[in-house]
Structure formats: C-alpha cells, structure tokens
Amino acid sequence: MSVFNNTQITCPACGAAVTFELVHSVNAVRRPDLRAAILDRSFQRQPCPTCGTAFRVDPQFTYLDVARKQFFAVWPASNLVQWRDYETRSQASYDKAFGPGTDGAALAGDLLARCVFGWLGLNEKIIAAEHKIDDVELEMAKLATLRTLGDLKLGADREFRLVGATDDELSVGWLRTSTEEIDDEYSVPRQLLKDIHSEPEKWAALRADVSGGMFVDYRRLLFGKA
Ligand SMILES: [Zn+2]
C-alpha cells in the first residue's frame, strides 16, 4: 500500500504554511504512476498556494516494488553524513517487514534492499535496475571513473550519478543535490562493468569501498568515516 499523510510544512520561499500530502511509503506495483513521477522528478513537488513557488520536499519513505524485487529505504539527502546510523535504521526497518517470522519473510531472499539518500540517489537505483546494471558494480565503475578523471570532489551539493545507459555506454554526470541540475556529463564504456564482473579479485578492494551494508554508494568511502 502507498501511504500519504497530510502534513503542515513551511514554504521555503515565502515561509507560508502549506498543507502537503507527504509520502510515507510507495508501493510501485500498485502505483506505477508514483514510480513514473519519481523518474520524471515531479513526485512530491508542488507550488506554494501563497507565492506560487514550486518546491520539492526532501524524501523520507520506503519504496517497495515486488515485481522488480526492490526495497529502498529513502532518506533526506542532508542525512548522508550520518549514513552509518541511517544504514542501521534501514536494516531495522527491512528486518521488521521482511525478517524471519514476518509476513514478508518469503520475499526476503529475492529483494534488493538498499538505503539511499535524496531523490538523486533513489533515481539512480531505479535507472540502474531498468538497464540491468548491478548497483555494486556500477558504484565501482563510478569510483574508478572518478579516479581516472582526477575529479574526486567532496562537495556536499554534488553527486556523481548514472543518468542513463545504452547497450554500449553508461551516461554518468555530476548533479547538484539542491537543484537536481546536471553540470557535467560523461560517457563511460559499458565494457568497464564487464571487466569488473569478470575479474573479481582485481576489483575486490574497490568492491569493499562501495558496499558492506544496505548503503551501496561510492560516497561510503568519502563521507562520515568511522
Ligand atoms: Zn510560498
């Protein structure tokens, strides 16, 4: 079931109180329109009735798509620096729904369970799956690409994300977290994913850098080191 709650929030432009139908959970099988709205970036965006400025609320909800075998715990982008805490919370919420002895237990082995931060992080997981790209190998390819570019920038408002793919190439780029605008876009040969897949030992260290829990992302390495 997809769940929304009417919540009073403050317009970031004029400060007026706005009643917002805030999402709590998305069931993408029953509501494919919500998945489409996430992908076209219109989801949870609406104009303020007082000043007319359209704004988008930072995401905090669970996303379930049993047809595509996806469970995503989605958190505000600004929570990234505390990713260890939110990874633990994501795991707890996953276990509550799909752990041993729960109604969802039968599904658990099949689901890709991930913790993501911000709309861009969520979009990327959905786009990768759509193009049959393993998300761990994608993050490894991104990190390898950044090192090749010598462009490992740490900015809190910049994210290096997959934005599309063809049979031969991945389109990746630097996007701004705040505006979701793309600054620089690069094409990476899809062959890089095949190389990573076929030589696991050579890439083992990079795999450890981007994975290890539900937060599978190149930024594991860059933010909030223990
Ligand atoms: Zn306003």
Side-chain angles (χ1 to χ4, degrees):
M1 197 163 83
S2 299
V3 178
F4 293 83
N5 295 109
N6 276 331
T7 307
Q8 289 279 323
I9 61 171
T10 303
C11 169
C14 75
V18 180
T19 302
F20 204 96
E21 206 185 352
L22 206 61
V23 68
H24 183 71
S25 65
V26 167
N27 183 317
V29 170
R30 293 187 193 162
R31 293 290 306 272
D33 57 310
L34 301 183
R35 178 179 181 273
I38 289 169
L39 283 170
D40 74 18
R41 302 181 179 186
S42 61
F43 189 52
Q44 296 278 279
R45 191 189 297 278
Q46 71 178 46
C48 166
T50 302
C51 73
T53 304
F55 63 93
R56 196 174 193 190
V57 176
D58 247 2
Q60 183 168 334
F61 62 99
T62 56
Y63 178 96
L64 177 66
D65 186 334
V66 291
R68 295 181 180 85
K69 301 179 173 33
Q70 297 161 335
F71 172 88
F72 301 139
V74 189
W75 301 102
S78 55
N79 292 9
L80 170 69
V81 287
Q82 294 117 29
W83 66 259
R84 287 175 195 280
D85 294 339
Y86 285 95
E87 186 175 62
T88 302
R89 290 175 65 167
S90 301
Q91 187 67 52
S93 99
Y94 177 79
D95 290 344
K96 197 173 159 191
F98 302 104
T102 64
D103 292 346
L107 285 169
D110 276 345
L111 287 175
L112 181 80
R114 296 292 187 247
C115 156
V116 302
F117 295 92
W119 294 112
L120 297 173
L122 175 61
N123 273 30
E124 182 178 56
K125 294 294 179 197
I126 297 173
I127 293 167
E130 193 66 22
H131 292 283
K132 301 193 178 357
I133 295 168
D134 177 278
D135 70 328
V136 177
E137 291 171 357
L138 171 64
E139 294 305 308
M140 295 162 72
K142 282 161 55 184
L143 202 46
T145 301
L146 289 175
R147 284 174 174 159
T148 305
L149 291 169
D151 191 21
L152 211 51
K153 294 185 186 121
L154 258 173
D157 193 33
R158 307 182 84 229
E159 305 179 34
F160 197 58
R161 296 291 178 199
L162 177 77
V163 293
T166 64
D167 288 345
D168 303 320
E169 288 185 330
L170 307 175
S171 294
V172 291
W174 280 110
L175 290 104
R176 286 186 222 178
T177 307
S178 53
T179 60
E180 303 181 33
E181 284 167 1
I182 191 160
D183 285 334
D184 299 294
E185 195 169 342
Y186 307 91
S187 293
V188 176
R190 207 156 160 160
Q191 181 62 38
L192 178 55
L193 292 173
K194 293 178 185 156
D195 294 346
I196 288 169
H197 191 77
S198 63
E199 293 186 275
E201 280 166 32
K202 180 180 161 190
W203 295 88
L206 205 56
R207 181 174 291 272
D209 284 341
V210 303
S211 62
M214 280 178 67
F215 182 43
V216 171
D217 194 294
Y218 76 98
R219 294 182 302 172
R220 264 183 102 85
L221 185 68
L222 307 181
F223 287 88
K225 281 188 182 176

